[in-house]
Structures are given as C-alpha cells and as structure tokens.
Amino acid sequence: MRRDFCDGVGIARLLNATLVLPKFEVAAYWNESSGFADVFDVDYFIQEMNGYVKVVKDLPADIASKEPFRVDCSKRKGRFDYVESVLPALLEHRYISMTPAMSQRRDRYPLHGKAALCQACYTALRLTNSLEKKGLELLQAIPKPFLSLHLRFEPDMVAYSQCEYFGLSSTSLKAIEAARADRKPWAGEASRIWRNRGKCPLTPNETALILQALSVPTNTNIYLAAGDGLMELEGLTSVYTNAVRKSTLLSDEDFTSMHGNTKAALDYYVSINSDYYIATYFGNMDKMVAAIRAMKGLYKTLFLSRRAFAVFTSQGLRGERLMEALWKAHRDDFVMSRGSALSDCFCEFQL
C-alpha cells in the first residue's frame, strides 16, 4: 500500500492533479478494516506535501457522488508516458481512480515527479503519534543489539507462490490448501524449474540453515517481522532461541485491538530502526525498508537468496558442501551489508 501510494503521489505530480487520500482495500485474510488515518498522520502528510502535490481528505461536493473513471496501468509493459496515457482520461472525467504500472521504473520519472515521490515516501509519510509511540515501546522492549528478520512463510504467501513443499506438518498443509483457491501448485519438472528461479518462499528451517552458513551466532537477538499466520516457526526457533515476536512483547489488549495494517506498520517501524535487517523475500516491504535504511545510512541489510538455496539443494548439495556454497553465494552482499540494487535509492539524491 505504501509503495502504490508513493507511486500515486509521483503520478499526481506528473499530471498536475489533486490527490485524494486513498481508502485501503478490505483484505479478508487479515480481517482488515483500518483506514489511511489509522496508520499515517494525515495532517502532517498534507502539510509536508504542500508545494509538491495538492492533497485533500475528501472529494469536492460537485463530484463526491460520482464513481471515479478507472484507469488500470498495472499490465502496461516497457516505458510509457503517464501524461500521454492517463491525462486525457483525467481531463475528460475530472475524477479518476488509477492502478500504477507494476513494471514502471520510478527512477525514470522527470525530476519534479521524482521529487514528489521521494518527499512522500521518506519525509511526509509518517505513522500516527499513537503508532509511533507503540513502535518505540516495542523497540525498547527488544534486547539489543538485534536483527530484524522478515519471514514470509504464511499460508497465503505459500499459496500465492504456487510452490510445492514436502515435510510440512499436517496443520500447515491444511492451512495452505485452504488458502490456495484456484492457484494449484506446480508439479514435476515445472515445479523444479519454478523453484530454481527463486519463486518459492524460504521456510523457517531453510532460513536458519542459511543464517548458520553465514555464521550468524545462534544466540543472536532476533525480532520476527511476520504475520500472525507464520508456519513451521519451530524450524527457526529451535536453532535461534532468542527470537521474539510482537505478540509476546505487546500486551494482549494492545495486540488483539490491532488490525493487520497497524501490525505491519509496527514491523516496518522496528525493521527500519533495527541494528541489522535480513529479508527472506524480495517483496514490497523489503524494498521499502532497505531503501529507507540506505537513506538513513543503516547499511547492515541483506536479502537471502531463494534461488541459490533451490539450485544448490536440487544439485544434491548437503551438509558442509551446502553451507560453503551458501556462504559463497551471499558473501559479497553479506560483507558489504548493503543488500541488492535498490531502485528507490535514487531518492537519496533528490532530497
């Protein structure tokens, strides 16, 4: 949501359009119903975007009753111009709802578009006072120094990946099956090819193995930045015993009163302020966290390679040979502690 909203700000600047604060989509899996103002400080955002993009909380009365004209750019490939593609619809209908292009390179925006996007993402978008206070309490409760580990082995994530796993508990398999709907897993040779392309989330057990290959001490303090439905966690915690979660650090009342968005916001807050950040998936949160850590000079950031793990294990590597190969695959990024190339880091030169 943060990524799409930042894209929306940049596009609004390109189109010289007024931006209406978004309504979050309801997510059935997360039992989600929170709004923009439940997560972000609205007045601060509007104030900080002054001079970049005009932002309003609600639609003007003369168009408030209308449905927006929907413009979906999500499937557009290659380079294209938002002004040429979207501005005519905006001028005709005055009010549009837009899905940004997933493949569009934000670092190719004109300078004024980049400036607005960067101002939104790294200055104007801050959590509400109550969430920041809760995030600070959480940060102070975690033993120091600590590593924030973003695990993505929840039923919906595994189902979405269409990957096949063996050796999981019956509880995990039932949860994955319930989340699959019509997304059936690849099988046979197609499954092997898919996995070797790095498409399959690392299990907690696989994550622990890679951390050990990198000589991360097993007594390391680890904060688990993950959703409530994380599966097979004992594969990690049986090795790394100093792992904590927000559900154990927050009071029952605090935790149960939070929505999925606010819980994710706390994980984000802790992760951008952690001593070290390791991601098991190169997803939207990982990209945003890594980019803002780079902006703040916190370079101890690493993305574990799903592709390397899949290829090595499919080649039959086990034991010390596997550990050595995993170390070599991660060595340069691990030593440099700067993660992978991040397209969002162009913002460092815009602010």
Side-chain angles (χ1 to χ4, degrees):
M1 288 182 294
R2 188 182 180 104
R3 181 210 65 197
D4 282 352
F5 185 62
C6 290
D7 278 347
V9 170
I11 295 165
R13 180 66 184 91
L14 295 178
L15 302 179
N16 196 26
T18 297
L19 184 71
V20 184
L21 290 180
K23 290 180 171 58
F24 291 163
E25 292 182 357
V26 175
Y29 179 80
W30 294 109
N31 191 25
E32 187 55 74
S33 60
S34 58
F36 187 88
D38 293 314
V39 179
F40 299 111
D41 186 331
V42 171
D43 292 331
Y44 181 81
F45 178 76
I46 293 174
Q47 170 190 310
E48 291 298 311
M49 291 311 300
N50 185 35
Y52 291 89
V53 172
K54 182 180 178 182
V55 182
V56 297
K57 296 179 182 179
D58 300 296
L59 288 166
D62 60 329
I63 59 173
S65 61
K66 297 180 180 179
E67 283 294 314
F69 181 79
R70 301 191 182 281
V71 180
D72 187 355
C73 299
S74 61
K75 305 299 183 185
R76 295 290 296 266
K77 302 295 184 183
R79 298 184 66 171
F80 72 97
D81 192 321
Y82 278 113
V83 175
E84 290 182 359
S85 303
V86 180
L87 185 57
L90 176 63
L91 294 175
E92 179 182 352
H93 299 280
R94 296 185 59 209
Y95 172 34
I96 65 172
S97 171
M98 204 190 81
T99 305
M102 296 290 288
S103 61
Q104 187 72 346
R105 288 278 300 276
R106 295 180 289 280
D107 57 338
R108 290 173 176 165
Y109 284 1
L111 189 59
H112 59 285
K114 289 180 184 178
L117 184 150
C118 295
Q119 175 71 3
C121 269
Y122 302 110
T123 301
L125 268 182
R126 76 178 185 189
L127 301 181
T128 62
N129 288 336
S130 59
L131 260 182
E132 282 229 349
K133 182 180 177 182
K134 194 59 61 182
L136 185 58
E137 289 176 10
L138 190 55
L139 200 59
Q140 291 173 340
I142 302 169
K144 310 295 188 301
F146 77 97
L147 181 160
S148 180
L149 178 64
H150 189 208
L151 286 172
R152 293 309 319 268
F153 204 68
E154 300 104 344
D156 65 325
M157 189 66 188
V158 175
Y160 180 79
S161 72
Q162 294 183 273
C163 294
E164 194 172 31
Y165 289 86
F166 300 96
L168 303 184
S169 69
S170 59
T171 302
S172 296
L173 291 173
K174 287 178 183 177
I176 295 168
E177 193 59 35
R180 281 205 192 278
D182 59 347
R183 301 186 71 87
K184 300 303 179 186
W186 296 103
E189 181 63 11
S191 175
R192 186 191 67 80
I193 294 172
W194 188 247
R195 183 172 291 277
N196 284 357
R197 288 175 60 190
K199 299 295 186 178
C200 299
L202 292 169
T203 69
N205 179 266
E206 292 167 346
T207 301
L209 189 64
I210 299 176
L211 294 181
Q212 287 177 285
L214 299 179
S215 298
V216 175
T218 55
N219 64 349
T220 300
N221 296 315
I222 296 179
Y223 173 79
L224 297 174
D228 299 340
L230 195 61
M231 303 180 297
E232 306 291 318
L233 187 54
E234 62 281 358
L236 175 81
T237 56
S238 62
V239 179
Y240 288 89
T241 54
N242 292 339
V244 295
R245 305 179 70 180
K246 55 186 173 292
S247 58
T248 59
L249 296 173
L250 295 174
S251 68
D252 289 342
E253 182 180 356
D254 278 341
F255 189 73
T256 54
S257 65
M258 288 183 174
H259 295 288
N261 286 334
T262 48
K263 291 177 183 177
L266 289 180
D267 283 342
Y268 176 82
Y269 182 87
V270 170
S271 295
I272 64 174
N273 290 292
S274 60
D275 298 291
Y276 313 92
Y277 180 73
I278 291 182
T280 62
Y281 203 84
F282 194 52
N284 294 318
M285 174 170 162
D286 305 312
K287 295 172 186 176
M288 297 291 287
V289 168
I292 201 164
R293 284 176 63 84
M295 293 276 295
K296 296 172 68 173
L298 301 173
Y299 292 120
K300 293 177 180 179
T301 302
L302 181 69
F303 300 104
L304 302 187
S305 175
R306 291 161 288 149
R307 177 180 295 176
F309 185 87
V311 169
F312 294 152
T313 52
S314 71
Q315 291 173 347
L317 298 187
R318 298 290 185 272
E320 288 301 317
R321 290 180 63 210
L322 176 60
M323 301 287 267
E324 183 180 355
L326 289 170
W327 162 247
K328 288 180 179 178
H330 293 88
R331 178 175 53 197
D332 291 345
D333 280 347
F334 185 69
V335 171
M336 293 295 292
S337 298
R338 298 191 62 158
S340 303
L342 298 164
S343 59
D344 282 337
C345 284
F346 69 79
C347 285
E348 188 172 356
F349 307 104
Q350 304 300 322
L351 296 177

